[in-house]
Amino acid sequence: MEGTAIRLQGLRKSFGQTAAVAGVDLEIRDGEFFSMLGPSGSGKTTVLRLIAGFETPSGGSVELAGRDVTRLAPFERDVHTVFQDYALFPHMTVEQNVAYGLKVRRVPKAERLVRARRALAEVRLEGYGRRRPSELSGGQRQRVALARALVGRPRVLLLDEPLGALDLKLREQMQIELKAIQREVGITFVFVTHDQEEALTMSDRIAVFHQGRIEQVGAPAEIYERPETEFVASFVGTSNLLRAESAQRILGSPGTYSVRPEKIRVLKESALADEPDVATATGTVAEVVYLGDATRFLVDLDAGGRLTALQQNLETSAEDVAAYRGTRVRLTWHRRHAVRVPDAR
Amino acid sequence: MTVAAQTAGQGPRAAARRLAGALHRRPRLRLALLLAAPLLWLAVLYLGSLSVLFVSAFWTTDSFTSQVVKVWSADNFHALFTTPVYRQVIGRSIGVALAVTALCVVIAFPVAFYTARVARPRWRPLLVVAILTPLWASYLVKVYAWRLILSQGGLADWMLKPLGLSGPGFGLPAAVLTLTYLWLPYMILPVHTALAQLPDNLLDASADLGARPGRTFGSVVVPMVLPSVAAGSIFTFSLSLGDYITVQIVGGKTQLIGNLVYSNIELDLPMAAALGTVPVVVIVLYLLAMRRTGALSSI
């Protein structure tokens, strides 16, 4: 599992006047499930296309397994891509689609068929080989695209928002399957998504993209629990920031702090919370949102600013929840859950 | 006024509303009314005249009086298959149609590739218009222009002279050349559309899986454009098969089916009808062959 699968150095890409990728340095390890997370237009897909070779960089370099491939065409790179809209060849059957990469590489026909069938079995599509892509559902097409990219056993598999077009249930199911397949085949996966939950649940490590740059790279827990920039704190998870003035009054030091909503407890204003390690703030409930398994409280703080708190509905139910609106509450959280976010660069 | 009286109402607007309502409730009647006029047109004017043509092909002509004798006989069709001249002309006509179609494909592909994928996007609509402009000019004007080009000492001769060659003159090659020029836009247009609609990510996907550009062209671009080529070929093939004017103007002494039909109309109408049936049958066969490529759904 040791070794570097991909190394990007000073990677830049401009389209006309706009810089889609503005200097990216990144190392992705062998066998890793690596996610590139960011809003649309943050440059994550462009980085993926630069790795695949569909675009040539305006500056910097791309290394695959220690070899500089910056100037190589896509067909000279040991990388395969799963496209956002699958890009299956409509004039070929499922089996022909999957075997295409092998055929191009002059793998003998018998072996081609065996490997294509095995790849289809890996994505649980046995017996679908003779159909046309147009005869499949979205989820099935997605898996054909996956099989087609996996069958050649590339060193790296690039996935460009492959679950974006699926409905919620199917997406959750595919997240689990994708992760299982990755563990089985042991190939490095580079997964582009704008869905932070998807990135958090599937990845070994995540890079958060913002305006063509990487804001933070780390394991999901690191990204979520210890965001290093204000953007990461607000993009990953619910934006919940205490700023200078109110931070000073509540936590006793100025600066920007991030507190995750589920770390905050909502108590009656009169409740005492005098433990040394607990921060406390009073305020008025501005809005209550019943989510089924939990309730979200939006609280306007007396010290200024607004915090969101998430409470599991252990005993409360929908009727009780509505009564909270407009009431006075006390929010408490453990001090170590207020994470100092460095000021913007 | 009550609500009922308002909706029932009187006057033309109310009647129109009742009619609209009645039609809405009877979708079959609505469909029948909509299709009546075009179906009548198709059945009476087109299929009707075709069947008259077909029926009259079984009649004969009295060789003394030149009167049509309405007696059933398959002599005309028999003559069609046994007379060497007829067989030659039919074979030549199909050959010309195929040659024109093949030339159109060979020329249209690179042109359409350029206009659909190579040229800058904002030039593309202009290029398509440029390809279509010859269609605005009269057919006869264009054919006579080619007659001038191909005439002795004309443009073709003049341009080929430095190479030590001369132009094709008037004859079969000239007819094929002129027909190719005439019907080329009908081939370029569908191929252009197919190439323009070809999703970029399919080309990316092919390259991603290791295919070099030539391979991608052969395995992805050509098969995906093929139905449109077939669609274009239906135009070029059937237009060429039916033409008899171009060949009169630039074809020298060359005769095609159309010329035989034309010259027989005065002398032997039933024979002309039998000859006229040939291109109809050939085109129906061609359409059946092209249907298998999926061409008919891409017209």
Side-chain angles (χ1 to χ4, degrees):
Chain A
M1 298 293 267
E2 285 312 299
T4 308
I6 300 172
R7 176 180 287 127
L8 308 177
Q9 281 173 317
L11 198 62
R12 284 185 295 107
K13 176 69 185 176
S14 309
F15 295 104
Q17 292 296 311
T18 50
V21 179
V24 163
D25 297 280
L26 185 63
E27 273 190 26
I28 299 174
R29 298 171 200 137
D30 265 335
E32 204 171 23
F33 196 118
F34 191 92
S35 287
M36 304 206 279
L37 174 67
S40 54
S42 59
K44 57 191 192 308
T45 295
T46 309
V47 170
L48 195 84
R49 291 178 62 81
L50 287 166
I51 298 174
F54 303 139
E55 313 276 357
T56 38
S58 314
S61 68
V62 179
E63 266 178 41
L64 289 173
R67 175 165 160 253
D68 188 343
V69 298
T70 315
R71 299 286 150 200
L72 294 188
F75 49 82
E76 295 167 311
R77 304 185 184 198
D78 194 11
V79 204
H80 290 173
T81 308
V82 177
F83 291 82
Q84 186 168 12
D85 44 8
Y86 321 138
L88 298 177
F89 304 121
H91 59 288
M92 298 183 195
T93 63
V94 166
E95 207 165 75
Q96 287 167 337
N97 262 285
V98 174
Y100 183 75
L102 302 176
K103 195 173 173 186
V104 165
R105 298 224 149 101
R106 302 222 169 81
V107 176
K109 190 168 185 182
E111 188 191 337
R112 222 152 67 200
L113 272 178
V114 172
R115 286 175 67 178
R117 296 226 171 98
R118 201 190 306 146
L120 281 172
E122 267 169 10
V123 296
R124 290 155 199 81
L125 275 180
E126 297 101 328
Y128 283 82
R130 296 197 176 276
R131 301 208 192 174
R132 298 259 164 186
S134 57
E135 295 167 324
L136 302 182
S137 71
Q140 288 168 337
R141 281 179 215 186
Q142 209 280 320
R143 283 183 279 170
V144 175
L146 190 63
R148 184 177 70 176
L150 274 174
V151 72
R153 287 289 182 267
R155 201 174 175 94
V156 174
L157 191 73
L158 306 174
L159 302 104
D160 184 10
E161 306 218 14
L163 308 181
L166 306 180
D167 62 56
L168 184 67
K169 277 268 181 291
L170 201 55
R171 195 158 70 223
E172 287 174 345
Q173 186 192 332
M174 280 304 299
Q175 286 174 7
I176 296 165
E177 284 190 24
L178 212 53
K179 182 73 196 172
I181 288 168
Q182 192 261 341
R183 222 174 277 132
E184 250 167 65
V185 299
I187 290 173
T188 309
F189 273 39
V190 180
F191 187 88
V192 161
T193 181
H194 62 263
D195 184 332
Q196 41 119 349
E197 206 182 300
E198 205 164 270
L200 290 174
T201 52
M202 299 172 75
S203 323
D204 296 321
R205 286 196 307 152
I206 299 172
V208 182
F209 278 73
H210 181 47
Q211 294 179 343
R213 288 198 174 81
I214 293 179
E215 294 266 325
Q216 186 176 353
V217 182
E222 277 169 42
I223 299 274
Y224 188 75
E225 307 263 347
R226 287 189 295 284
E228 281 170 7
T229 71
E230 204 177 307
F231 176 79
V232 176
S234 59
F235 186 74
V236 183
T238 308
S239 162
N240 227 13
L241 294 172
L242 282 173
R243 289 171 197 282
E245 186 80 354
S246 43
Q248 171 74 51
R249 285 166 69 177
I250 296 167
L251 298 168
S253 84
T256 309
Y257 286 84
S258 159
V259 193
R260 293 300 181 192
E262 70 280 2
K263 311 284 193 204
I264 302 175
R265 295 178 68 194
V266 182
L267 305 171
K268 290 203 179 82
E269 192 187 13
S270 54
L272 285 177
D274 244 2
E275 293 158 64
D277 289 343
V278 171
T280 170
T282 52
T284 309
V285 177
E287 194 57 69
V288 204
V289 185
Y290 177 69
L291 301 171
D293 57 344
T295 302
R296 184 182 294 145
F297 294 82
L298 274 67
V299 179
D300 287 330
L301 301 178
D302 297 338
R306 172 181 275 195
L307 280 184
T308 304
L310 196 72
Q311 301 287 293
Q312 292 297 313
N313 287 335
L314 293 175
E315 277 144 28
T316 43
S317 63
E319 296 81 46
D320 313 329
V321 159
Y324 271 99
R325 195 172 286 121
T327 58
R328 300 278 303 159
V329 291
R330 177 179 298 275
L331 303 180
T332 68
W333 63 88
H334 206 280
R335 278 182 180 277
R336 66 188 163 91
H337 291 316
V339 179
R340 176 80 191 260
V341 179
D343 294 320
R345 287 179 278 192
Chain B
M1 233 187 198
T2 64
V3 177
Q6 262 175 11
T7 47
Q10 255 136 47
R13 294 187 67 187
R17 197 182 305 133
R18 271 201 303 279
L19 181 64
L23 284 177
H24 182 76
R25 285 187 294 278
R26 294 178 187 77
R28 277 167 185 280
L29 179 65
R30 196 174 50 191
L31 192 67
L33 286 174
L34 270 176
L35 288 179
L39 276 180
L40 209 68
W41 174 271
L42 186 73
V44 174
L45 293 174
Y46 186 69
L47 292 179
S49 57
L50 265 187
S51 29
V52 168
L53 173 87
F54 191 63
V55 167
S56 59
F58 287 96
W59 296 337
T60 44
T61 306
D62 188 311
S63 45
F64 290 108
T65 60
S66 288
Q67 292 295 306
V68 173
V69 184
K70 296 185 181 174
V71 176
W72 290 94
S73 130
D75 285 356
N76 291 332
F77 287 102
H78 189 251
L80 222 51
F81 291 112
T82 50
T83 314
V85 178
Y86 288 150
R87 285 169 58 174
Q88 218 175 5
V89 170
I90 290 169
R92 185 188 298 140
S93 299
I94 295 173
V96 165
L98 288 175
V100 169
T101 300
L103 273 174
C104 279
V105 173
V106 169
I107 300 171
F109 219 100
V111 173
F113 197 83
Y114 181 79
T115 58
R117 302 206 73 95
V118 180
R120 286 161 173 268
R122 57 196 186 114
W123 285 105
R124 287 173 196 173
L126 275 174
L127 288 169
V128 172
V129 170
I131 288 162
L132 290 179
T133 35
L135 295 180
W136 300 349
S138 154
Y139 169 94
L140 282 176
V141 169
K142 286 183 285 187
V143 180
Y144 273 106
W146 273 94
R147 190 181 163 87
L148 284 179
I149 292 171
L150 296 167
S151 64
Q152 203 161 14
L155 190 64
D157 277 351
W158 179 74
M159 280 175 68
L160 289 169
K161 206 175 178 181
L163 304 171
L165 301 167
S166 62
F170 299 137
L172 194 61
V176 170
L177 204 63
T178 308
L179 287 171
T180 303
Y181 164 80
L182 285 175
W183 313 137
L184 189 59
Y186 295 100
M187 181 63 84
I188 296 180
L189 216 56
V191 176
H192 166 92
T193 310
L195 284 171
Q197 287 171 350
L198 197 68
D200 284 335
N201 64 9
L202 290 187
L203 308 184
D204 281 349
S206 179
D208 184 71
L209 292 164
R212 291 169 183 281
R215 180 70 195 231
T216 300
F217 185 78
S219 297
V220 179
V221 177
V222 168
M224 290 203 63
V225 174
L226 210 57
S228 298
V229 172
S233 82
I234 290 171
F235 293 116
T236 56
F237 183 83
S238 54
L239 288 170
S240 305
L241 199 62
D243 188 90
Y244 67 101
I245 298 173
T246 297
V247 74
Q248 275 182 1
I249 298 174
V250 298
K253 292 194 173 98
T254 313
Q255 287 217 315
L256 298 179
I257 297 179
N259 307 101
L260 289 187
V261 175
Y262 185 72
S263 55
N264 266 308
I265 283 178
E266 297 291 316
L267 302 169
D268 186 351
L269 193 62
M271 191 64 223
L275 281 163
T277 320
V278 174
V280 175
V281 172
V282 172
I283 285 166
V284 166
L285 291 177
Y286 192 77
L287 281 176
L288 288 175
M290 288 301 114
R291 196 177 67 159
R292 301 190 53 196
T293 66
L296 299 187
S297 52
S298 61
I299 290 185

